[in-house]
Amino acid sequence: MDKMSGCFCCLRCRCCPWRVGFGTGHIPLKEIPVVCLDTNHMGNDVVIVKTGRRICGTGGALANAPLVQDKAYFEMKVQSTGIWGIGLATRKIDLNKVPLGFNQADAECWMLRSDGALYHGSECIRKLGIEVQEGDILGVTYDHIELNFYKNGESLQSPVTGIKGTLYPALYVDDSAILDIQFSEFYHVPPNNFDKIMIEKSLL
């Protein structure tokens, strides 16, 4: 035991928050950031739990990391149905309005809504005619050219193009909807060459 820190770990134990080097003293480990929902960018009536992976309440939230890599993938599981949306948005979006982008002239968001339609802000791009139930998994891919959505591992074959700006994964909920976001440990294998969201080195 170290009398100063109260640490019961051995000198080389990696599980200790204060690793000790011979003759160097205590060196605090730097916490490695992970991608999760950002409590600094969420609606006033939103509740985020499960270490930034579950959203409920009313309103929207963005992830804490933008999509900067060539091919990014993430998933969402519907835990409880209601009114919800998943997609991408910039930080210009009003996260207190549901659905995201509703009556916002400069809305920079591209969302698949719970009614099975794709929207850019308040504009309906197309209606997919899909039904999403509790337990379904929706996947999202983005390669800076196309935004694509998947249901239970199958592509919905409805690419969205013409997307611009610094984009973040975005979700919104209302009417008792509960969503779980997955930025790693996916339910389905990502499409070829797509991978989990990487955090910029400047944020490390």
Side-chain angles (χ1 to χ4, degrees):
M1 174 178 176
D2 186 292
K3 294 181 180 180
M4 296 296 292
S5 66
C7 175
F8 287 88
C9 298
C10 69
L11 293 178
R12 297 186 178 218
C13 181
R14 294 181 180 271
C15 68
C16 177
W18 296 94
R19 289 181 62 191
V20 181
F22 292 103
T24 62
H26 286 84
I27 303 173
L29 287 176
K30 185 175 182 180
E31 183 178 351
I32 299 175
V34 297
V35 182
C36 61
L37 294 177
D38 191 349
T39 54
N40 292 317
H41 291 91
M42 68 179 193
N44 295 331
D45 295 321
V46 166
V47 178
I48 293 176
V49 294
K50 293 188 67 175
T51 61
R53 289 179 46 242
R54 174 169 290 180
I55 181 173
C56 50
T58 298
L62 302 179
N64 62 346
L67 302 183
V68 295
Q69 70 208 71
D70 291 339
K71 296 186 176 185
Y73 176 79
F74 61 96
E75 291 177 339
M76 179 268 284
K77 183 176 183 179
V78 180
Q79 294 289 0
S80 180
T81 56
I83 295 173
W84 53 262
I86 180 174
L88 304 178
T90 71
R91 285 186 171 174
K92 291 182 179 180
I93 198 68
D94 185 346
L95 296 170
N96 290 304
K97 290 184 178 180
V98 174
L100 291 189
F102 180 72
N103 285 343
Q104 187 179 348
D106 61 345
E108 294 183 348
C109 66
W110 294 262
M111 309 292 293
L112 172 61
R113 296 185 181 180
S114 50
D115 62 3
L118 288 170
Y119 278 80
H120 173 206
S122 292
E123 178 188 358
C124 180
I125 300 173
R126 67 181 66 93
K127 295 182 179 180
L128 304 184
I130 63 169
E131 182 179 355
V132 180
Q133 301 176 337
E134 289 183 9
D136 283 341
I137 309 296
L138 295 178
V140 180
T141 60
Y142 181 63
D143 61 3
H144 297 272
I145 298 174
E146 289 185 354
L147 168 66
N148 280 281
F149 294 90
Y150 302 76
K151 178 185 174 185
N152 297 327
E154 298 295 328
S155 174
L156 298 181
Q157 302 295 329
S158 294
V160 180
T161 59
I163 299 175
K164 298 179 181 179
T166 302
L167 299 165
Y168 295 77
L171 299 172
Y172 71 80
V173 289
D174 195 13
D175 194 26
S176 301
I178 301 175
L179 308 177
D180 281 359
I181 189 81
Q182 293 290 132
F183 294 115
S184 62
E185 300 178 0
F186 301 121
Y187 292 98
H188 298 280
V189 177
N192 287 341
N193 299 320
F194 284 87
D195 202 355
K196 64 183 181 180
I197 297 168
M198 308 299 290
I199 296 180
E200 291 182 284
K201 290 184 179 179
S202 61
L203 299 177
L204 296 176

